[in-house]
């Protein structure tokens, strides 16, 4: 007989779906089936079952091959690397629990590290804008129940957050939106005809890199000031029409993604989008929300914010927290050669960073803590496999709307495999010994 | 005026935070005392003397102190930070935060400066013979006060985001700039003698931007007002005046709406 575990959290994307049902074998060791998850979410659970999974730490040898080492040796290497470095980078944190992040930050403070999370190549620009001008936001539940104007700007949830539209933003029937998508008007701003753009009522096929101008143009239209004939490739009438659609709703929301946060103007795009949202509140109720990618990148920002005051790129090297993306952000540090050791947990910079940064990681003493074999684990001196958070161990996570949700454990990790928290706690204890003996 | 010459002798492996290289810190000190001032390389607190050969001694006050920085300082940050008087001459190209939060005196860089030079500057004269990086005369992250006073003159070109949240003082760039000039600007004057590609004056509330060359793409919220003759940097020229950014909030003064002014050379 198999048993069913209900209300499971999906530890994949920032939508953090909390309605999964997982069928587990009787001995609680094997996942047999997953209900309700989207394809990418289900794959995350299935991956934990892969027969070729690495179960012990591996140390890179001079010839490029890997040698299995014990967790004790892995703890020793990691602690010594951080202890010897003048300015280590501790990057990642977005695919793990808040509990693990907290232990990681304790280590970072001890060794004067820089703590940075995946926002640095993602929604970090959003966080800069929020610090500059604030943010009027809401929860996904409010959107489901109230929102009738949905704007997707530079994001493609059909592929990146597959259940977002069915659970919250477009299709669900809510308290004041009892006709589901019939109640809602969807505007998509994207230079490409994405699958999200295909289901929109209005698609603004904007010229690439002109989001800042179009956002400004909507603000100009709201103030009834004159506009040029076209802005960003969009005719003036369309812009005025769009502004009218936004104004005429009862509750509007702008969702935005990497298409605006990492294209030309970066934080200024978000800054202007937030100001547009504020302007729209003169006419109706409007909110804005970042489509966060990793399931707990929001949590990393929360824990960093709570402990050090800044949500990413926190430089602790001088014993107090400093923050200046452009200087203290991972790619700038790596590219410029500002750090002398790299520790990665819960992310894959080997796959996501520019090659100039990846090369630097390969040259430096480096540790990668990750359940999978990834491009990062392949260039790191030490790879430490750990249990999957949200599958093999629970922990706190934050959804993209900053709502904390407790992830659940579904099956046991393979025998002897440590969790992120256990590994970090042992490194922390070893550092205490090393520093005590200083 | 007394002169202190510091010469790079021992390159840092990482980067050096040398916020003590300023006339205010060197004043009243002998060479040996200057050598003992703090500097940071990563988490390690070291001394200026470990990296620099130091000759001469500081004057009685900052105003009586001149510092000459020789050698390769491309890995040295914060030269001239918060200086209030005196002179600093950097012969080559320093790294980030040169002249950050500068309050007075004169800072001359013969080479280029990296990003965040002159951020939050309040006064004094900052001359750069080469090029400047991004965020010149801008606000520090999260601060709403960019450059507030003084003069920054760049003989070469500048990067993006110059004068971000600027509300006073003057920035003159003889060459071109990258995108985002005077974003969120509330006051002060930016003069670009070359070209600026786009996003000039976006979200601008007040202040003046002069562009002598071309702007590839104008922001939508600028409306033409009239042609005007204005004196800029010692010479009178004719400009087309635009008001903006009309998508942004604007305060009223004596019943009149105050706009940011964008002047394009005719
Ligand atoms: S939408 Fe995101 S959180 Fe929901 S099941 Fe798919 S991957 Fe998981």
């Amino acid at each position: 007989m198999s048993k069913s575990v209900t209300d499971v959290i999906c530890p994949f994307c920032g939508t953090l779906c909390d309605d999964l049902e997982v069928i587990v074998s009787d001995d609680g060791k094997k996942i047999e089936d997953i209900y309700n998850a989207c394809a990418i979410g289900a794959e995350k659970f299935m991956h934990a079952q892969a027969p070729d999974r690495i179960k012990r730490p591996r140390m890179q040898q001079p010839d490029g091959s890997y040698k299995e080492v014990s967790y004790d040796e892995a703890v020793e290497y990691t602690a010594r690397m951080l202890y010897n470095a003048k300015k280590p980078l501790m990057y990642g944190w977005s695919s793990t629990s808040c509990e693990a992040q907290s232990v990681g930050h304790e280590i970072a403070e001890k060794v004067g590290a820089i703590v940075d999370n995946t926002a640095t190549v993602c929604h970090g620009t959003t966080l800069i804008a929020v610090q500059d001008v604030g943010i009027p936001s809401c929860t996904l539940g409010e959107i489901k129940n109230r929102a009738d104007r949905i704007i997707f700007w530079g994001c493609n949830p059909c592929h990146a957050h597959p259940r977002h539209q069915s659970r919250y933003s477009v299709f669900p029937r809510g308290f004041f939106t009892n006709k589901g998508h019939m109640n809602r008007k969807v505007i998509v701003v994207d230079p490409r005809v994405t699958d999200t753009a295909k289901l929109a009522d209005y698609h603004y096929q904007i010229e690439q890199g002109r989001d800042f101008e179009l956002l400004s143009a909507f603000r100009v239209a709201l103030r009834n000031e004159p506009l040029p004939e076209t802005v960003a490739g969009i005719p003036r009438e369309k812009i005025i029409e769009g502004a009218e659609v936004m104004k005429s709703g009862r509750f509007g929301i702008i969702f935005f993604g990497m298409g605006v946060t990492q294209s030309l103007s970066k934080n200024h795009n978000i800054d202007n989008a937030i100001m547009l949202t504020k302007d729209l509140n003169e006419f109706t109720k409007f909110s804005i929300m970042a489509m966060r990618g990793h399931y707990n990148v929001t949590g990393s920002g929360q824990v960093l914010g709570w402990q050090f005051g800044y949500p990413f790129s926190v430089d602790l090297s001088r014993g107090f927290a400093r923050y200046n993306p452009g200087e203290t952000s991972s790619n700038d540090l790596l590219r410029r050669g500002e750090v002398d050791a790299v520790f990665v947990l819960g992310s894959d910079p080997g796959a996501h960073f520019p090659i100039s940064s990846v090369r630097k990681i390969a040259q430096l003493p480096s540790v990668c803590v990750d359940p999978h074999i990834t491009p990062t684990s392949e260039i790191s001196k030490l790879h430490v496999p750990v249990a999957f958070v949200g599958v093999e161990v629970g922990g706190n996570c934050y959804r993209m709307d900053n709502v904390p949700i407790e992830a659940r454990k579904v099956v046991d990790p393979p025998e002897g495999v440590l969790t992120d928290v256990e590994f970090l706690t042992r490194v922390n204890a070893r550092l205490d010994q090393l520093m005590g003996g200083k | 005026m007394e002169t202190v010459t510091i010469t790079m002798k021992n390159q840092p492996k990482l980067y050096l935070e040398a916020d003590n290289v300023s006339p205010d810190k060197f004043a009243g000190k002998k060479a040996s005392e200057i050598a003992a001032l703090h500097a940071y390389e990563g988490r390690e607190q070291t001394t200026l003397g470990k990296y620099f050969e130091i000759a001469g001694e500081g004057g009685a006050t900052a105003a009586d102190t001149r510092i000459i920085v020789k050698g390769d300082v491309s890995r040295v940050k914060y030269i001239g930070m918060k200086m209030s008087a005196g002179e600093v001459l950097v012969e080559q190209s320093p790294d980030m935060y040169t002249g950050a939060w500068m309050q007075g005196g004169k800072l001359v860089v013969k080479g280029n400066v990296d990003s965040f030079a002159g951020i939050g500057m309040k006064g004094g004269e900052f001359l750069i013979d080469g090029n400047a990086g991004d965020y010149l005369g801008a606000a520090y992250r999260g601060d709403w006060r960019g450059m507030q006073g003084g003069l920054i003159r760049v003989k070469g070109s500048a990067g993006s985001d110059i004068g971000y949240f600027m509300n006073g003082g003057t920035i003159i760039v003889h060459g071109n700039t990258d995108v985002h000039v005077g974003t969120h600007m509330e006051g002060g004057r930016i003069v670009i003698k070359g070209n600026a590609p786009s996003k000039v004056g976006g979200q601008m509330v007040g202040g003046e931007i002069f562009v002598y060359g071309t702007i590839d793409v104008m922001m939508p919220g600028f409306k033409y007002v009239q042609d005007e003759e204005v004196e800029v940097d010692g010479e009178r020229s004719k400009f087309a005046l635009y008001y903006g950014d009309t998508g942004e909030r604007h305060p009223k003064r004596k019943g009149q709406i105050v706009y940011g002014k964008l002047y394009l050379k005719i």
Side-chain angles (χ1 to χ4, degrees):
Chain A
M1 258 301 281
S2 313
K3 55 185 181 187
S4 144
V5 191
T6 55
D7 299 325
V8 173
I9 312 303
C10 170
F12 190 81
C13 85
T15 314
L16 215 58
C17 294
D18 52 5
D19 61 344
L20 271 49
E21 195 180 333
V22 182
I23 310 298
V24 181
S25 67
D26 227 6
D27 57 2
K29 284 196 172 9
K30 198 165 160 36
I31 296 173
E32 291 176 345
D33 214 343
I34 298 139
Y35 296 122
N36 298 345
C38 70
I40 44 179
E43 192 53 38
K44 171 105 189 210
F45 284 89
M46 284 317 193
H47 215 252
Q49 310 276 307
D52 56 351
R53 189 168 158 189
I54 302 282
K55 300 192 179 104
R56 288 290 174 273
R58 303 175 305 147
M59 189 78 88
Q60 205 182 61
Q61 303 300 304
D63 66 355
S65 66
Y66 279 93
K67 187 181 136 213
E68 195 177 296
V69 294
S70 67
Y71 273 106
D72 287 337
E73 288 168 280
V75 167
E76 184 67 22
Y77 178 87
T78 310
R80 286 218 175 260
M81 176 187 89
L82 294 169
Y83 176 70
N84 291 330
K86 277 185 188 160
K87 198 169 181 176
L89 170 64
M90 297 180 76
Y91 174 78
W93 309 110
S94 301
S95 290
T96 189
S97 63
C98 293
E99 290 83 349
Q101 288 158 2
S102 184
V103 183
H105 300 171
E106 200 181 323
I107 295 174
E109 202 172 348
K110 248 172 226 165
V111 300
I114 292 186
V115 192
D116 199 4
N117 58 40
T118 53
T120 203
V121 286
C122 184
H123 274 288
T125 53
T126 305
L127 300 164
I128 295 172
V130 170
Q131 194 189 13
D132 279 340
V133 292
I135 189 164
S137 201
C138 62
T139 63
L140 289 170
E142 282 180 272
I143 290 158
K144 172 185 171 185
N145 286 309
R146 293 173 188 276
D148 58 354
R149 295 292 180 268
I150 315 289
I151 299 158
F152 292 112
W153 199 306
C155 56
N156 185 10
C158 282
H159 293 282
H161 302 82
R163 298 184 70 214
H164 189 273
Q165 290 161 305
S166 58
R167 272 172 67 78
Y168 302 110
S169 52
V170 179
F171 301 111
R173 292 160 195 265
F175 197 80
F176 298 107
T177 48
N178 54 7
K179 294 203 195 104
H181 77 281
M182 306 278 273
N183 282 106
R184 301 187 171 98
K185 283 207 181 353
V186 177
I187 300 177
V188 171
V189 184
D190 202 306
R192 301 168 304 162
V193 187
T194 60
D195 285 334
T196 306
K198 281 180 196 149
L199 63 78
D201 298 293
Y202 304 87
H203 176 205
Y204 286 81
Q205 204 169 354
I206 183 181
E207 272 172 30
Q208 200 165 358
R210 296 273 166 251
D211 302 88
F212 188 68
E213 282 85 352
L214 187 59
L215 286 158
S216 272
F218 278 127
R219 299 184 63 200
V220 173
L222 288 180
R223 287 182 159 79
N224 290 320
E225 292 279 356
L227 273 173
E229 240 165 74
T230 59
V231 178
I234 311 290
R236 170 167 50 205
E237 305 72 56
K238 289 269 174 226
I239 295 168
I240 295 170
E241 186 188 352
E244 287 305 320
V245 173
M246 292 181 211
K247 265 161 53 175
S248 62
R250 282 178 305 166
F251 187 121
I253 174 82
I254 302 174
F255 290 110
F256 61 96
M258 227 91 317
V260 263
T261 64
Q262 293 297 331
S263 60
L264 190 62
S265 291
K266 297 192 166 192
N267 55 311
H268 303 292
N269 288 333
I270 311 315
D271 182 319
N272 224 354
I274 292 171
M275 295 311 286
L276 170 65
T277 310
K278 285 189 179 170
D279 290 350
L280 281 162
N281 276 288
E282 297 281 326
F283 305 95
T284 180
K285 167 80 185 162
F286 241 86
S287 273
I288 180 164
M289 191 184 295
M291 296 287 263
R292 304 306 297 268
H294 288 67
Y295 69 89
N296 198 26
V297 60
T298 314
S300 174
Q302 287 281 353
V303 179
L304 274 174
W306 152 54
Q307 294 183 330
F308 302 122
Y310 305 108
F312 75 114
S313 294
V314 181
D315 177 357
L316 299 165
S317 61
R318 284 191 44 185
F320 54 93
R322 290 185 297 177
Y323 160 82
N324 190 11
E327 181 203 12
T328 62
S329 33
S330 301
N331 280 300
D332 298 280
L333 294 166
L334 288 166
R335 178 179 60 81
R336 286 161 45 84
E338 287 217 42
V339 288
D340 53 356
V342 182
F343 174 91
V344 179
L345 187 149
S347 169
D348 186 6
H352 304 148
F353 279 11
I355 188 70
S356 52
S357 300
V358 177
R359 255 193 215 115
K360 287 281 171 53
I361 301 177
Q363 286 159 5
L364 292 170
S366 45
V367 175
C368 169
V369 182
D370 201 303
H372 306 91
I373 293 182
T374 65
T376 310
S377 75
E378 291 313 278
I379 54 163
S380 298
K381 303 287 171 299
L382 172 69
H383 174 209
V384 185
V386 280
F388 280 89
V389 173
V391 181
E392 295 161 346
V393 56
N396 193 59
C397 304
Y398 278 75
R399 200 166 65 184
M400 61 165 71
D401 55 354
N402 288 298
V403 170
I405 299 177
E406 192 75 18
R408 301 185 65 170
K409 172 179 169 168
V410 184
V411 286
D412 291 327
E415 211 165 304
V417 170
L418 297 185
T419 63
D420 290 330
V421 173
E422 286 164 352
F423 179 71
L424 288 166
T425 307
R426 286 179 61 180
V427 171
N428 194 18
R430 181 67 188 117
L431 271 167
D432 278 339
Q433 288 173 350
L434 287 171
M435 296 188 132
K438 205 171 182 177
Chain B
M1 191 175 243
E2 299 288 336
T3 301
V4 184
T5 306
I6 67 171
T7 311
M8 175 62 73
K9 62 172 181 189
N10 185 12
Q11 278 291 339
K13 275 212 186 63
L14 302 176
Y15 280 73
L16 189 67
E17 297 184 13
D19 37 289
N20 276 332
V21 178
S22 120
D24 299 71
K25 298 288 167 59
F26 283 14
K29 291 196 176 67
K30 288 201 279 291
S32 59
E33 289 169 313
I34 292 169
L37 286 171
H38 291 161
Y40 287 84
E41 188 180 347
R43 66 163 179 234
E44 230 171 61
Q45 184 183 309
T46 58
T47 59
L48 284 178
K50 182 178 164 193
Y51 304 91
F52 292 99
E53 194 68 60
I54 294 168
E57 54 185 60
T61 63
D64 293 328
T65 305
R66 176 195 292 132
I67 303 174
I68 299 175
V69 182
K70 287 180 182 284
D72 178 1
V73 282
S74 58
R75 297 178 86 82
V76 183
K77 299 179 186 178
Y78 295 108
I79 291 178
M81 176 173 135
K82 292 187 181 165
M83 66 182 275
S84 68
E87 282 177 29
V88 177
L89 170 71
V90 185
E91 293 190 346
Q92 294 189 28
S93 303
D95 192 50
M96 293 175 170
Y97 301 107
T98 308
W101 299 286
M102 183 175 171
Q103 294 162 17
K106 187 169 177 181
L107 171 56
V108 180
V109 175
K110 291 283 176 202
N112 306 323
V113 291
D114 208 304
S115 302
F116 308 110
I119 52 166
M121 181 167 168
K122 284 195 176 134
E125 216 183 319
F126 184 5
L127 308 177
I128 299 148
D129 280 354
N131 302 322
D134 303 331
Y135 287 97
L136 177 75
Y140 194 63
R141 294 279 176 218
D143 202 336
W144 65 95
R145 295 154 301 187
M147 184 172 177
Q148 296 171 73
L151 168 73
I152 301 179
R153 185 186 291 277
V154 183
K155 293 275 176 62
S157 292
S160 66
D161 295 278
I162 71 169
Y164 185 44
F165 278 106
M166 180 169 177
N167 51 17
T170 305
I171 300 177
I172 301 173
V173 180
H174 288 257
N176 305 324
T177 67
D178 203 343
V179 293
H180 284 288
V181 176
T183 307
H184 276 298
M185 188 173 179
E186 305 249 351
R189 178 180 265 199
I190 299 177
V191 181
I192 300 160
K193 304 227 169 151
N195 309 323
S198 61
K199 339 261 179 193
V200 180
Q203 299 180 277
M204 184 181 187
V205 178
E208 300 170 335
I209 300 175
F210 293 82
V211 180
Y212 284 58
T214 55
I215 296 178
D216 296 342
V217 181
M218 281 275 278
M219 286 300 296
F222 280 83
K223 51 184 178 190
Y224 173 75
V225 189
Q226 64 193 42
D227 289 354
E228 247 179 41
E229 207 177 278
V230 192
E231 187 179 323
V232 184
D233 199 16
E235 57 181 34
R236 291 188 77 79
S237 315
K238 224 170 161 200
F239 296 91
L241 168 63
Y242 291 79
Y243 278 167
D245 176 339
T246 56
E248 194 57 58
R249 78 187 154 84
H250 289 281
K252 271 192 177 163
R253 203 172 294 140
K254 294 191 187 130
Q256 292 283 319
I257 300 178
V258 183
Y259 285 105
K261 293 176 177 175
L262 175 60
Y263 292 91
L264 297 184
K265 178 111 190 276
I266 313 176

